[in-house]
Amino acid sequence: MKKALIIEDSDDIREGIAEMLDLAGYETFAAKNGKIGVDLAIKHLPDIILCDIMMPELDGYGVLYLLQKNTQTANIPFIFMTAKAERADMRKGMEMGADDYLTKPFDDVELFNAIESRLKKRSKPVGFRSAGGDSASLFESMKAKGKTRSFASKQIIYVEQDEPAHLYYVKKGQVKTYKRAKDGRELSSTLYSEGDFFGYESLCRSALYAENAATLSDSELTLIAKADFMEYLLNHQEIANAFLGLLSGSVQEKEEQMLRLAYFSVRKRVADALVQVAAKFGQPDSDTCTLKISRDDLAALVGTASETVSRMLADFKDEKLIEKSGNAIQILSIEKLKNVKQ
């Protein structure tokens, strides 16, 4: 029996789709918001996911991004559903890696055609040799080829213009990638935590590193030799699909960062940076979080001076959004930080 996950905040629509799929012989799981949907996807590993775009708490784009970051869910066919038929929404969804797009209202024939088309496409051989195992076991066997190394906090992993020799996997700790300007200022691009791969962009492009990487805390990293990574990438479709999803998400993340730098006030950027760090290093489904991040590292995420970040943090403390204790920042409400105005 095929499994389908429906993520939709409208009770009537969600229950209607579930009823249709139940009658067609699917085992269905339903979620009323994106956060629940991500949890159900990881728990049940459905064969197909149908997801609304405009939802509270976590929208459809956020759901797709999180599922593509998880090696177990990255290859599940994903169909967006939305009442908005604007080309910009369709283009954004497809660029992020969605497999199809349904505009509400749709009938049962449209629904089944979209699902069956995605499932048939997924089952067809696409020219890569398969090891026969599931995606999780493939990733485990690839990681087993690597060697684990310990890195101290603030230790450089690689620098811009280095020749890439490894794919990196974070077993423990926290890592950042960043660019350094000619005047010495840093601009962080991406944060990585336990379970993340990094360094794959340059390997996939056969290019020198375009940025630097360093640890934010004491870390354990698995270093997978370039030759081993390329062997898995070229010979296993599941691995190729997963890293295509990661590349797509990375591009999207950098585009959003450039938009924030161009159009958001410093106040809004500092708030968003705190939310970003909390999402990466905090506990899921919690509105509070304690972060241990230096003002310099936070300033590199924001793209401003550390003194400016300190002033904004003082303002947030006065507004009862955060508390500070040495190098630790306690976020009192992540949701309120998300809603900080320009």
Side-chain angles (χ1 to χ4, degrees), residues 17-28:
I17 295 172
E19 184 177 351
M20 283 192 287
L21 293 178
D22 285 337
L23 291 172
Y26 288 85
E27 180 182 3
T28 59

Side-chain angles (χ1 to χ4, degrees), residues 135-205:
S135 298
S137 63
L138 278 174
F139 274 94
E140 289 305 315
S141 65
M142 183 179 73
K143 287 186 288 184
K145 286 183 172 289
K147 296 181 179 180
T148 299
R149 296 284 184 267
S150 295
F151 288 76
S153 179
K154 307 296 182 183
Q155 184 173 342
I156 300 295
I157 302 166
Y158 57 76
V159 299
E160 192 174 351
Q161 298 302 308
D162 271 357
E163 179 76 33
H166 297 95
L167 170 70
Y168 295 88
Y169 174 77
V170 184
K171 289 189 69 175
K172 179 183 177 182
Q174 302 167 349
V175 173
K176 68 174 180 179
T177 53
Y178 60 96
K179 299 280 286 185
R180 190 181 293 279
K182 291 182 179 179
D183 61 5
R185 288 182 300 167
E186 287 185 10
L187 177 62
S188 292
S189 55
T190 311
L191 301 176
Y192 300 95
S193 58
E194 183 177 332
D196 288 337
F197 289 97
F198 68 97
Y200 49 81
E201 294 96 335
S202 295
L203 288 173
C204 290
R205 294 190 298 114

Side-chain angles (χ1 to χ4, degrees), residues 74-91:
N75 295 324
I76 299 175
F78 193 100
I79 299 176
F80 269 134
M81 305 181 296
T82 182
K84 296 172 67 179
E86 298 177 1
R87 290 183 61 86
D89 293 321
M90 296 175 68
R91 184 172 63 250

Side-chain angles (χ1 to χ4, degrees), residues 309-329:
V309 167
S310 295
R311 289 197 299 271
M312 291 298 104
L313 292 178
D315 289 346
F316 291 159
K317 182 179 178 181
D318 292 340
E319 296 168 34
K320 308 299 183 185
L321 296 173
I322 66 169
E323 289 290 343
K324 296 189 295 179
S325 177
N327 203 35
I329 300 170

Side-chain angles (χ1 to χ4, degrees), residues 1-6 14-30 50 111-112 115:
M1 182 182 291
K2 296 290 187 182
K3 297 184 289 186
L5 170 61
I6 305 137
R14 185 176 66 252
E15 291 167 5
I17 295 172
E19 184 177 351
M20 283 192 287
L21 293 178
D22 285 337
L23 291 172
Y26 288 85
E27 180 182 3
T28 59
F29 305 94
L50 301 152
L111 174 65
F112 292 134
I115 292 175

Side-chain angles (χ1 to χ4, degrees), residues 71-294:
T71 57
Q72 291 185 296
T73 56
N75 295 324
I76 299 175
F78 193 100
I79 299 176
F80 269 134
M81 305 181 296
T82 182
K84 296 172 67 179
E86 298 177 1
R87 290 183 61 86
D89 293 321
M90 296 175 68
R91 184 172 63 250
K92 180 177 180 180
M94 293 307 185
E95 287 176 350
M96 286 186 66
D99 296 281
D100 209 341
Y101 203 99
L102 283 171
T103 302
K104 294 181 285 189
F106 48 82
D107 58 31
D108 53 352
V109 174
E110 291 177 283
L111 174 65
F112 292 134
N113 283 343
I115 292 175
E116 290 170 9
S117 172
R118 290 300 113 195
L119 292 179
K120 285 180 182 178
K121 185 173 182 180
R122 187 189 189 195
S123 65
K124 288 181 180 179
V126 287
F128 286 83
R129 298 188 299 279
S130 174
D134 59 20
S135 298
S137 63
L138 278 174
F139 274 94
E140 289 305 315
S141 65
M142 183 179 73
K143 287 186 288 184
K145 286 183 172 289
K147 296 181 179 180
T148 299
R149 296 284 184 267
S150 295
F151 288 76
S153 179
K154 307 296 182 183
Q155 184 173 342
I156 300 295
I157 302 166
Y158 57 76
V159 299
E160 192 174 351
Q161 298 302 308
D162 271 357
E163 179 76 33
H166 297 95
L167 170 70
Y168 295 88
Y169 174 77
V170 184
K171 289 189 69 175
K172 179 183 177 182
Q174 302 167 349
V175 173
K176 68 174 180 179
T177 53
Y178 60 96
K179 299 280 286 185
R180 190 181 293 279
K182 291 182 179 179
D183 61 5
R185 288 182 300 167
E186 287 185 10
L187 177 62
S188 292
S189 55
T190 311
L191 301 176
Y192 300 95
S193 58
E194 183 177 332
D196 288 337
F197 289 97
F198 68 97
Y200 49 81
E201 294 96 335
S202 295
L203 288 173
C204 290
R205 294 190 298 114
S206 296
L208 301 177
Y209 285 121
E211 56 193 4
N212 310 280
T215 56
L216 289 169
S217 63
D218 292 343
S219 303
E220 290 183 7
L221 308 179
T222 299
L223 282 61
I224 302 164
K226 177 180 178 180
D228 290 330
F229 171 58
M230 297 307 297
E231 188 273 330
Y232 273 79
L233 190 69
L234 295 174
N235 291 309
H236 302 295
Q237 181 64 32
E238 297 93 332
I239 300 289
N241 285 345
F243 279 96
L244 280 173
L246 290 176
L247 286 167
S248 175
S250 177
V251 170
Q252 179 72 23
E253 192 174 313
K254 287 179 172 62
E255 286 178 349
E256 291 175 356
Q257 183 184 32
M258 295 306 296
L259 287 173
R260 288 194 295 269
L261 288 171
Y263 296 111
F264 285 8
S265 66
V266 173
R267 172 182 167 84
K268 178 65 173 173
R269 297 198 326 254
V270 173
D272 283 356
L274 289 171
V275 171
Q276 179 187 352
V277 177
K280 196 66 186 176
F281 302 142
Q283 294 295 322
D285 302 324
S286 175
D287 193 45
T288 63
C289 181
T290 299
L291 307 175
K292 290 187 177 180
I293 184 170
S294 71

Side-chain angles (χ1 to χ4, degrees), residues 7-9 50-55 60 80-82 104:
I7 308 173
E8 166 65 62
D9 61 335
L50 301 152
C51 184
D52 188 23
I53 289 183
M54 305 304 293
M55 294 184 294
F80 269 134
M81 305 181 296
T82 182
K104 294 181 285 189

